[in-house]
Amino acid sequence: MTTTVRELTVGEVAEQAGVTQSAVRFYERHGLLTAARTSGNQRRFGESAPCLLKVAKVAQRVGLSVKEITALFATLPEEPAHEDWRRIATTLVVEAQARVDALRAALDDLGSGSKLCELA
Amino acid sequence: MTTTVRELTVGEVAEQAGVTQSAVRFYERHGLLTAARTSGNQRRFGESAPCLLKVAKVAQRVGLSVKEITALFATLPEEPAHEDWRRIATTLVVEAQARVDALRAALDDLGSGSKLCELA
DNA sequence: CTCGACCTTGAACATTGGTTGAAGTCAAGA
DNA sequence: TCTTGACTTCAACCAATGTTCAAGGTCGAG
């Protein structure tokens, strides 16, 4: 039983993910998303595409570049399972924690007061 | 008693702040730093310039743009006193905390597991 | 005064993450 | 079939944050 996998157009993916169509194309060009093509050369994305985009947006908030997110997604199977998403989430949490730590370090630099500058 | 304020050249400021000369000029063009000019049109920075740059770097780590840092520095007197630096530091700490909170929010989005995507 | 080190400007280039527009093609309902 | 909305590509553009290069001017020690 091959479930009828509704393939999605650029417009549908964009709408479902809450990004612009140009962004969707941009991400596909950069390999963050992959798409099949119709005989007429139109993109057809898998069901998971909007989800990937949503996760990608979180990843960007965390501070990952498109290239890094692409690499991260490269480890995912075509139709990711719960476990796969969980792994990605964990990776992002770890990354985010690192960024928080970095920020805290910046804070500590400031915390050492005007010690930054021996001026006043 | 006007203390002999050793004015600094681009090269000196860059070296003391640990940035490139081109960066120093860039920041001056963008109003982050101000400089007097010699009769021969060379920049002469005040003593606090290297310090401003160091603080600016921390501010960048915190996530502020050059424009935002410029605005922040616009509130400083020519020769900032301890109190001034402390105020800036506080502002940055508040900002940093906000960024940490934002990151934490991103984490929470992920924390709600694969709830992000109703796929698996 | 001269010499070398250091400074000046302006423009072009680089990277990231997209957006916009023009010109043309496809898909699907009436 | 025809029409209309959605899709295609390509190239140009945007903003931020600088770097690099060329051509030339300045500073200060000797």
Short mmCIF file of all heavy atoms in Angstrom, two decimals, chain A residues 32-54:
data_model
loop_
_atom_site.label_atom_id
_atom_site.label_comp_id
_atom_site.label_asym_id
_atom_site.label_seq_id
_atom_site.Cartn_x
_atom_site.Cartn_y
_atom_site.Cartn_z
N LEU A 32 18.59 22.89 0.51
CA LEU A 32 17.97 22.69 1.82
C LEU A 32 16.71 21.85 1.63
O LEU A 32 16.38 21.01 2.46
CB LEU A 32 17.63 24.06 2.43
CG LEU A 32 17.31 24.10 3.92
CD1 LEU A 32 17.70 25.42 4.51
CD2 LEU A 32 15.82 23.85 4.15
N LEU A 33 16.03 22.07 0.52
CA LEU A 33 14.87 21.26 0.15
C LEU A 33 15.18 20.59 -1.18
O LEU A 33 15.97 21.10 -1.97
CB LEU A 33 13.64 22.15 -0.07
CG LEU A 33 13.07 22.93 1.10
CD1 LEU A 33 11.91 23.79 0.64
CD2 LEU A 33 12.65 21.99 2.20
N THR A 34 14.55 19.46 -1.41
CA THR A 34 14.67 18.85 -2.73
C THR A 34 13.27 18.70 -3.28
O THR A 34 12.30 18.59 -2.53
CB THR A 34 15.35 17.47 -2.66
OG1 THR A 34 14.62 16.65 -1.75
CG2 THR A 34 16.79 17.59 -2.21
N ALA A 35 13.17 18.74 -4.60
CA ALA A 35 11.86 18.64 -5.22
C ALA A 35 11.95 17.82 -6.49
O ALA A 35 12.96 17.86 -7.20
CB ALA A 35 11.34 20.04 -5.55
N ALA A 36 10.88 17.06 -6.74
CA ALA A 36 10.77 16.36 -8.01
C ALA A 36 10.27 17.39 -9.01
O ALA A 36 9.90 18.51 -8.62
CB ALA A 36 9.79 15.20 -7.88
N ARG A 37 10.28 17.03 -10.29
CA ARG A 37 9.77 17.95 -11.29
C ARG A 37 8.68 17.26 -12.10
O ARG A 37 8.79 16.07 -12.43
CB ARG A 37 10.90 18.38 -12.24
CG ARG A 37 11.99 19.21 -11.58
CD ARG A 37 11.48 20.54 -11.10
NE ARG A 37 12.52 21.35 -10.47
CZ ARG A 37 12.75 22.61 -10.78
NH1 ARG A 37 12.02 23.23 -11.68
NH2 ARG A 37 13.71 23.28 -10.17
N THR A 38 7.67 18.00 -12.46
CA THR A 38 6.63 17.46 -13.33
C THR A 38 7.20 17.43 -14.75
O THR A 38 8.28 17.98 -15.00
CB THR A 38 5.39 18.37 -13.34
OG1 THR A 38 5.75 19.61 -13.92
CG2 THR A 38 4.86 18.59 -11.93
N SER A 39 6.46 16.84 -15.65
CA SER A 39 6.91 16.80 -17.04
C SER A 39 7.03 18.23 -17.56
O SER A 39 7.78 18.51 -18.48
CB SER A 39 5.92 16.01 -17.88
OG SER A 39 4.63 16.59 -17.74
N GLY A 40 6.29 19.12 -16.94
CA GLY A 40 6.33 20.52 -17.35
C GLY A 40 7.33 21.35 -16.57
O GLY A 40 7.28 22.57 -16.56
N ASN A 41 8.21 20.66 -15.86
CA ASN A 41 9.30 21.32 -15.14
C ASN A 41 8.88 22.07 -13.87
O ASN A 41 9.63 22.89 -13.36
CB ASN A 41 10.06 22.27 -16.05
CG ASN A 41 11.40 22.65 -15.45
OD1 ASN A 41 12.06 21.82 -14.81
ND2 ASN A 41 11.79 23.90 -15.63
N GLN A 42 7.71 21.78 -13.38
CA GLN A 42 7.32 22.45 -12.14
C GLN A 42 7.76 21.60 -10.95
O GLN A 42 7.76 20.38 -11.01
CB GLN A 42 5.80 22.68 -12.12
CG GLN A 42 5.37 23.63 -13.22
CD GLN A 42 3.96 24.16 -13.02
OE1 GLN A 42 3.25 23.76 -12.09
NE2 GLN A 42 3.55 25.08 -13.88
N ARG A 43 8.11 22.29 -9.87
CA ARG A 43 8.55 21.58 -8.66
C ARG A 43 7.38 20.88 -7.96
O ARG A 43 6.28 21.43 -7.91
CB ARG A 43 9.16 22.57 -7.67
CG ARG A 43 10.47 23.18 -8.10
CD ARG A 43 10.87 24.28 -7.14
NE ARG A 43 12.08 24.97 -7.59
CZ ARG A 43 12.08 25.92 -8.51
NH1 ARG A 43 10.95 26.30 -9.07
NH2 ARG A 43 13.21 26.50 -8.87
N ARG A 44 7.68 19.72 -7.44
CA ARG A 44 6.71 19.04 -6.59
C ARG A 44 7.46 18.55 -5.35
O ARG A 44 8.38 17.74 -5.44
CB ARG A 44 6.09 17.84 -7.32
CG ARG A 44 5.10 18.23 -8.41
CD ARG A 44 3.91 19.01 -7.88
NE ARG A 44 2.96 19.35 -8.96
CZ ARG A 44 2.97 20.50 -9.64
NH1 ARG A 44 3.87 21.42 -9.35
NH2 ARG A 44 2.09 20.72 -10.58
N PHE A 45 7.04 19.11 -4.21
CA PHE A 45 7.71 18.78 -2.95
C PHE A 45 6.97 17.66 -2.22
O PHE A 45 5.76 17.48 -2.42
CB PHE A 45 7.74 20.01 -2.05
CG PHE A 45 8.57 21.13 -2.61
CD1 PHE A 45 8.00 22.08 -3.46
CD2 PHE A 45 9.92 21.23 -2.30
CE1 PHE A 45 8.77 23.12 -3.98
CE2 PHE A 45 10.69 22.27 -2.82
CZ PHE A 45 10.11 23.22 -3.66
N GLY A 46 7.70 16.96 -1.38
CA GLY A 46 7.08 15.93 -0.55
C GLY A 46 6.33 16.57 0.61
O GLY A 46 6.48 17.76 0.88
N GLU A 47 5.57 15.75 1.26
CA GLU A 47 4.75 16.22 2.38
C GLU A 47 5.55 16.90 3.48
O GLU A 47 5.05 17.77 4.18
CB GLU A 47 4.04 15.02 3.03
CG GLU A 47 2.71 14.66 2.45
CD GLU A 47 2.08 13.56 3.29
OE1 GLU A 47 2.84 12.65 3.70
OE2 GLU A 47 0.88 13.62 3.52
N SER A 48 6.80 16.46 3.64
CA SER A 48 7.58 16.96 4.76
C SER A 48 8.18 18.34 4.52
O SER A 48 8.70 18.98 5.44
CB SER A 48 8.70 15.98 5.09
OG SER A 48 9.54 15.81 3.97
N ALA A 49 8.10 18.82 3.31
CA ALA A 49 8.76 20.09 2.97
C ALA A 49 8.36 21.26 3.88
O ALA A 49 9.23 21.97 4.38
CB ALA A 49 8.52 20.43 1.51
N PRO A 50 7.07 21.48 4.10
CA PRO A 50 6.71 22.60 4.96
C PRO A 50 7.29 22.45 6.35
O PRO A 50 7.75 23.43 6.96
CB PRO A 50 5.18 22.54 5.00
CG PRO A 50 4.78 21.79 3.78
CD PRO A 50 5.86 20.79 3.57
N CYS A 51 7.30 21.23 6.81
CA CYS A 51 7.86 20.94 8.13
C CYS A 51 9.35 21.25 8.17
O CYS A 51 9.85 21.88 9.10
CB CYS A 51 7.62 19.48 8.45
SG CYS A 51 8.33 19.02 10.02
N LEU A 52 10.04 20.83 7.15
CA LEU A 52 11.46 21.11 7.06
C LEU A 52 11.70 22.61 7.12
O LEU A 52 12.61 23.09 7.80
CB LEU A 52 12.03 20.55 5.75
CG LEU A 52 12.19 19.02 5.69
CD1 LEU A 52 12.48 18.57 4.26
CD2 LEU A 52 13.29 18.57 6.63
N LEU A 53 10.87 23.34 6.43
CA LEU A 53 11.03 24.79 6.43
C LEU A 53 10.80 25.38 7.81
O LEU A 53 11.52 26.27 8.25
CB LEU A 53 10.08 25.44 5.43
CG LEU A 53 10.54 25.35 3.98
CD1 LEU A 53 9.55 26.05 3.06
CD2 LEU A 53 11.92 25.96 3.83
N LYS A 54 9.80 24.87 8.48
CA LYS A 54 9.54 25.39 9.83
C LYS A 54 10.70 25.10 10.76
O LYS A 54 11.13 25.96 11.53
CB LYS A 54 8.25 24.78 10.39
CG LYS A 54 6.98 25.34 9.76
CD LYS A 54 5.75 24.68 10.39
CE LYS A 54 4.48 24.93 9.58
NZ LYS A 54 3.39 24.01 10.02
#
